[in-house]
Amino acid sequence: MPGCAAAPQACRGARRDGGGAVQPIRVLVADDHALHRRGLEMVLSTEEDIQIVGEAADGDEAVRKVEELLPDVVLMDVRMPRTSGIEACALVKASAPSTKIIMLTSSDEESDLFDAVRAGASGYLLKDVPAEEVADGIRAVLGGQSLISPSMAGLLLGEFAAMRRRDEERELGVRTPRLTPRELEVLRLLSRGLPNREIAGQLAISENTVKNHVRNILEKLQLHSRMEAVVYAVREKIVELS
């Protein structure tokens, strides 16, 4: 590999070994679509400071390959068979904390973004980003930065703004609306990721009644989505995440 003086763009994300030699960033690609894995490998193979060291077709295989290969960065799809990308992300961070994970997905669901961040992902990119942004993202997360597609960043910024607003209201002594016991039960089950149908089954009420409770919870707490309700429940210690 050429030195950084000869190829500064290629070397800016690379590592050096004990002797000072430039080492490529070792990347594992985890995606259940072989065509997408091939496409990523073709694009990233042109980057002199990035080396594809392995691939995985499902979450279980991704976890095994990380333990075997100890890559610097994993490009992980969100929805994969056997074990989802988000579940695999949490397992990887538990077994190999130094490995950085970028969720590279077609999902623009705010719940997937929130769950990925909670699982320890350092980045969340949509698959429609230009190829060069994936390479730059790999270098960025290895350098300690967080990375989120611009179209998704607004969701987190909106959530942070709402959290800050509620903090300010508490400091000013604004009374937090009181939820009924049934609404608290619904909120706890909601925070476990259960859909309305399963909440209704556990509480022996109709699905329509659950919808009404969720609407009342959001109105009382001045929230705009189920994700915001989950964040609120965790912050107020209504539920605890394991």
Side-chain angles (χ1 to χ4, degrees), residues 156-177:
L156 281 185
L157 291 175
E159 177 56 29
F160 291 150
M163 291 170 65
R164 184 172 63 250
R165 190 162 55 248
R166 289 192 291 272
D167 283 341
E168 292 171 351
E169 289 176 351
R170 262 199 302 272
E171 291 174 2
L172 293 173
V174 177
R175 184 178 177 183
T176 301

CSV table of all heavy atoms in Angstrom, one decimal, residues 156-177:
chain,number,residue,atom,x,y,z
A,156,LEU,N,-34.1,12.4,15.2
A,156,LEU,CA,-33.4,12.4,16.5
A,156,LEU,C,-33.4,13.8,17.0
A,156,LEU,O,-33.6,14.1,18.2
A,156,LEU,CB,-32.0,11.9,16.3
A,156,LEU,CG,-31.9,10.4,16.3
A,156,LEU,CD1,-30.4,10.0,16.3
A,156,LEU,CD2,-32.5,9.7,17.5
A,157,LEU,N,-33.1,14.8,16.1
A,157,LEU,CA,-33.1,16.2,16.5
A,157,LEU,C,-34.4,16.6,17.1
A,157,LEU,O,-34.5,17.3,18.1
A,157,LEU,CB,-32.7,17.1,15.4
A,157,LEU,CG,-31.3,17.0,14.9
A,157,LEU,CD1,-31.1,17.8,13.6
A,157,LEU,CD2,-30.3,17.4,16.0
A,158,GLY,N,-35.5,16.2,16.5
A,158,GLY,CA,-36.8,16.5,17.0
A,158,GLY,C,-37.1,15.9,18.4
A,158,GLY,O,-37.6,16.5,19.3
A,159,GLU,N,-36.6,14.6,18.5
A,159,GLU,CA,-36.7,14.0,19.8
A,159,GLU,C,-35.9,14.7,20.9
A,159,GLU,O,-36.4,14.9,22.0
A,159,GLU,CB,-36.3,12.5,19.7
A,159,GLU,CG,-36.4,11.7,21.0
A,159,GLU,CD,-37.7,11.8,21.7
A,159,GLU,OE1,-38.8,11.9,21.0
A,159,GLU,OE2,-37.8,11.8,22.9
A,160,PHE,N,-34.7,15.0,20.6
A,160,PHE,CA,-33.9,15.7,21.6
A,160,PHE,C,-34.5,17.1,22.0
A,160,PHE,O,-34.4,17.5,23.1
A,160,PHE,CB,-32.4,15.9,21.0
A,160,PHE,CG,-31.7,14.7,20.8
A,160,PHE,CD1,-30.7,14.6,19.8
A,160,PHE,CD2,-31.9,13.6,21.7
A,160,PHE,CE1,-30.0,13.4,19.7
A,160,PHE,CE2,-31.2,12.4,21.5
A,160,PHE,CZ,-30.2,12.3,20.5
A,161,ALA,N,-35.0,17.8,21.0
A,161,ALA,CA,-35.7,19.1,21.3
A,161,ALA,C,-36.9,18.9,22.2
A,161,ALA,O,-37.1,19.7,23.2
A,161,ALA,CB,-36.1,19.7,20.0
A,162,ALA,N,-37.6,17.8,22.0
A,162,ALA,CA,-38.8,17.6,22.9
A,162,ALA,C,-38.3,17.2,24.3
A,162,ALA,O,-38.9,17.6,25.3
A,162,ALA,CB,-39.6,16.4,22.3
A,163,MET,N,-37.2,16.4,24.4
A,163,MET,CA,-36.7,16.1,25.7
A,163,MET,C,-36.2,17.3,26.4
A,163,MET,O,-36.4,17.5,27.6
A,163,MET,CB,-35.6,15.0,25.5
A,163,MET,CG,-36.1,13.7,25.0
A,163,MET,SD,-34.7,12.6,24.6
A,163,MET,CE,-33.9,12.4,26.1
A,164,ARG,N,-35.5,18.2,25.7
A,164,ARG,CA,-35.0,19.4,26.3
A,164,ARG,C,-36.2,20.3,26.8
A,164,ARG,O,-36.1,20.9,27.9
A,164,ARG,CB,-34.1,20.2,25.3
A,164,ARG,CG,-33.5,21.4,25.9
A,164,ARG,CD,-32.5,22.0,25.0
A,164,ARG,NE,-33.1,22.5,23.8
A,164,ARG,CZ,-32.9,22.0,22.6
A,164,ARG,NH1,-32.2,20.9,22.4
A,164,ARG,NH2,-33.5,22.5,21.5
A,165,ARG,N,-37.2,20.3,26.0
A,165,ARG,CA,-38.4,21.1,26.4
A,165,ARG,C,-39.0,20.6,27.6
A,165,ARG,O,-39.4,21.4,28.5
A,165,ARG,CB,-39.4,21.1,25.2
A,165,ARG,CG,-40.5,22.1,25.3
A,165,ARG,CD,-41.2,22.4,24.0
A,165,ARG,NE,-41.6,21.1,23.4
A,165,ARG,CZ,-41.1,20.6,22.3
A,165,ARG,NH1,-40.1,21.2,21.7
A,165,ARG,NH2,-41.6,19.4,21.8
A,166,ARG,N,-39.1,19.3,27.8
A,166,ARG,CA,-39.7,18.7,29.0
A,166,ARG,C,-38.8,18.9,30.2
A,166,ARG,O,-39.3,19.1,31.3
A,166,ARG,CB,-40.0,17.2,28.7
A,166,ARG,CG,-41.1,17.0,27.8
A,166,ARG,CD,-41.6,15.5,27.8
A,166,ARG,NE,-40.6,14.6,27.2
A,166,ARG,CZ,-40.5,14.3,25.9
A,166,ARG,NH1,-41.3,14.9,25.1
A,166,ARG,NH2,-39.6,13.5,25.5
A,167,ASP,N,-37.5,18.9,30.0
A,167,ASP,CA,-36.5,19.2,31.1
A,167,ASP,C,-36.7,20.6,31.6
A,167,ASP,O,-36.8,20.9,32.8
A,167,ASP,CB,-35.1,19.0,30.6
A,167,ASP,CG,-34.7,17.6,30.5
A,167,ASP,OD1,-35.4,16.7,31.2
A,167,ASP,OD2,-33.7,17.3,29.8
A,168,GLU,N,-36.9,21.6,30.6
A,168,GLU,CA,-37.1,23.0,31.0
A,168,GLU,C,-38.4,23.2,31.8
A,168,GLU,O,-38.5,23.9,32.7
A,168,GLU,CB,-37.1,23.8,29.7
A,168,GLU,CG,-35.7,23.9,29.1
A,168,GLU,CD,-35.7,24.6,27.7
A,168,GLU,OE1,-36.9,24.9,27.2
A,168,GLU,OE2,-34.6,24.9,27.2
A,169,GLU,N,-39.4,22.4,31.3
A,169,GLU,CA,-40.7,22.6,32.0
A,169,GLU,C,-40.6,22.0,33.4
A,169,GLU,O,-41.2,22.6,34.4
A,169,GLU,CB,-41.8,21.8,31.2
A,169,GLU,CG,-42.2,22.5,29.9
A,169,GLU,CD,-43.2,21.7,29.1
A,169,GLU,OE1,-43.4,20.5,29.5
A,169,GLU,OE2,-43.7,22.2,28.1
A,170,ARG,N,-39.9,20.9,33.6
A,170,ARG,CA,-39.7,20.4,35.0
A,170,ARG,C,-39.0,21.4,35.9
A,170,ARG,O,-39.3,21.6,37.0
A,170,ARG,CB,-38.9,19.1,34.9
A,170,ARG,CG,-39.9,17.9,35.0
A,170,ARG,CD,-39.1,16.6,35.4
A,170,ARG,NE,-38.0,16.4,34.4
A,170,ARG,CZ,-38.1,15.7,33.3
A,170,ARG,NH1,-39.3,15.2,33.0
A,170,ARG,NH2,-37.1,15.5,32.5
A,171,GLU,N,-37.9,22.0,35.3
A,171,GLU,CA,-37.2,23.0,36.1
A,171,GLU,C,-38.0,24.2,36.5
A,171,GLU,O,-37.8,24.8,37.5
A,171,GLU,CB,-36.0,23.5,35.3
A,171,GLU,CG,-34.9,22.4,35.1
A,171,GLU,CD,-33.8,22.9,34.2
A,171,GLU,OE1,-33.9,24.0,33.7
A,171,GLU,OE2,-32.9,22.1,33.9
A,172,LEU,N,-39.0,24.5,35.6
A,172,LEU,CA,-39.9,25.7,35.9
A,172,LEU,C,-41.0,25.3,36.8
A,172,LEU,O,-41.9,26.1,37.2
A,172,LEU,CB,-40.4,26.3,34.6
A,172,LEU,CG,-39.4,27.0,33.8
A,172,LEU,CD1,-40.0,27.4,32.4
A,172,LEU,CD2,-38.8,28.2,34.5
A,173,GLY,N,-41.1,24.0,37.2
A,173,GLY,CA,-42.1,23.5,38.1
A,173,GLY,C,-43.4,23.2,37.4
A,173,GLY,O,-44.5,23.1,38.0
A,174,VAL,N,-43.4,23.1,36.0
A,174,VAL,CA,-44.6,22.7,35.3
A,174,VAL,C,-45.0,21.3,35.7
A,174,VAL,O,-44.2,20.4,35.6
A,174,VAL,CB,-44.4,22.9,33.8
A,174,VAL,CG1,-45.6,22.4,33.0
A,174,VAL,CG2,-44.0,24.3,33.5
A,175,ARG,N,-46.2,21.1,36.1
A,175,ARG,CA,-46.7,19.8,36.5
A,175,ARG,C,-46.8,18.8,35.3
A,175,ARG,O,-47.4,19.2,34.3
A,175,ARG,CB,-48.0,20.0,37.2
A,175,ARG,CG,-48.5,18.6,37.8
A,175,ARG,CD,-49.9,18.9,38.5
A,175,ARG,NE,-50.4,17.6,39.0
A,175,ARG,CZ,-51.6,17.5,39.6
A,175,ARG,NH1,-52.3,18.6,39.8
A,175,ARG,NH2,-52.0,16.4,40.0
A,176,THR,N,-46.2,17.7,35.5
A,176,THR,CA,-46.4,16.6,34.4
A,176,THR,C,-47.8,16.0,34.5
A,176,THR,O,-48.2,15.6,35.6
A,176,THR,CB,-45.3,15.5,34.6
A,176,THR,OG1,-44.0,16.1,34.6
A,176,THR,CG2,-45.4,14.5,33.6
A,177,PRO,N,-48.5,15.9,33.4
A,177,PRO,CA,-49.8,15.3,33.4
A,177,PRO,C,-49.8,13.9,34.0
A,177,PRO,O,-48.9,13.2,33.8
A,177,PRO,CB,-50.2,15.3,31.9
A,177,PRO,CG,-49.3,16.3,31.3
A,177,PRO,CD,-48.1,16.3,32.1
